Amino acid sequence: MASNEPRRVSDLETLKAFGHPLRMKLYRALYISRKATASQLAELVDEAVSLVSYHLRKLAEHGLIEEAEQQGKDGRERWWQPASKGLNVHDEDFSDAPEKVATHAAVGRLSFDQHIELYRRYLDSARSWSPKWRSAASSSEYLARLTADELAALNHEVHEVIDRYEEAGRARDEAGDMEGRENVAMHLYAFPFRI
C-alpha cells in the first residue's frame, strides 16, 4: 500500500465516488486481496470485467486506489492496490451544507447495509464453519453511560488493538504462515442514543 495510514475522505466528490454499492464492494475485496486485477476482482464480486474496470478507474481518479506493480508475466493486465490503509469519514467534514449532510448519511447507510449483508451471509453459512471458528466469532452489544470524550478514548483504544492484530496477521500471512487464516470482518458502531 502506498500509505500505512488511513485516508481521511473529506471532500464531497470523493465521498460520492466511494458511495456506490459496487465500488464499496470492490474496495473491500481489494483491501483484503492487497493487490488484484479487474478480472480477479470481477470474479470475487460476480460482475463483468468491463464494469469492474470502469469502477476501479473511478476509485483511482479520486485517489482511493492506485496501480500496483505488475505481478506475474502477463504485462497486459493492470494491477490495483488500495492507496492507503483504509478510509475514514468524519461527520464534521460534511456538516456545513445540506447536500454534504445527505451524502454522508446515504454513504453511511449503504456501508451499514453491506455490513449487515456480510453478517447475514455468515449467519446463513455458520454451520459450514468449524466449531473452532464458530466459537471464535462473536456478536455483542455493550451499553454504557459515557461522555463524548470517554467514547472518543474508547474508540481510539479499540482501533489500536484492531490495528495491532491486523498488522500482525498481515505480516504472518506475507511470511507464508497461511494455515488456518481466514478473512475476518469486525464491525464496530459506537453512538449515543436515547430511550
Side-chain angles (χ1 to χ4, degrees):
M1 288 182 210
S3 171
N4 280 335
E5 296 297 319
R7 159 127 183 243
R8 184 170 179 158
V9 175
S10 58
D11 66 284
L12 186 59
E13 293 310 311
T14 301
L15 185 63
K16 284 180 178 179
F18 182 68
H20 183 282
L22 181 55
R23 290 180 198 156
M24 281 187 178
K25 287 180 183 178
L26 289 169
Y27 185 86
R28 184 179 296 114
L30 187 57
Y31 189 84
I32 290 294
S33 300
R34 296 187 201 116
K35 294 179 183 177
T37 65
S39 299
Q40 293 168 335
L41 292 168
E43 190 173 319
L44 291 174
V45 298
D46 196 27
E47 292 289 348
V49 175
S50 59
L51 182 63
V52 167
S53 292
Y54 169 80
H55 286 293
L56 289 172
R57 287 191 305 273
K58 289 296 179 189
L59 289 169
E61 283 175 21
H62 292 276
L64 300 172
I65 67 171
E66 62 188 16
E67 284 194 55
E69 289 182 26
Q70 287 296 109
Q71 308 289 309
K73 297 178 182 177
D74 187 356
R76 295 174 295 158
E77 286 194 298
R78 181 186 257 181
W79 286 79
W80 297 98
Q81 66 185 13
S84 62
K85 184 185 174 184
L87 303 173
N88 288 327
V89 180
H90 297 269
D91 179 71
E92 63 263 20
D93 293 329
F94 299 97
S95 62
D96 61 342
E99 181 187 12
K100 289 180 176 182
V101 170
T103 302
H104 180 254
V107 171
R109 281 191 300 275
L110 176 60
S111 178
F112 182 69
D113 289 345
Q114 288 190 0
H115 294 173
I116 289 171
E117 178 55 32
L118 193 60
Y119 188 56
R120 279 189 179 133
R121 284 199 321 255
Y122 165 73
L123 292 174
D124 291 344
S125 68
R127 291 329 250 169
S128 70
W129 292 95
S130 71
K132 187 174 183 177
W133 273 108
R134 289 194 313 269
S135 178
S138 70
S139 171
S140 303
E141 178 180 34
Y142 301 96
L143 303 172
R145 290 192 48 81
L146 305 173
T147 66
D149 289 341
E150 290 167 339
L151 178 56
L154 172 62
N155 281 326
H156 181 75
E157 285 184 46
V158 168
H159 287 272
E160 284 182 337
V161 170
I162 293 168
D163 283 347
R164 193 172 67 241
Y165 274 86
E166 182 183 10
E167 288 170 14
R170 280 189 186 272
R172 288 185 191 109
D173 193 38
E174 290 169 1
D177 179 9
M178 300 168 93
E179 186 175 336
R181 197 166 301 284
E182 298 285 351
N183 298 325
V184 173
M186 179 176 287
H187 302 138
L188 299 173
Y189 305 96
F191 52 89
F193 71 96
R194 294 187 177 110
I195 298 177

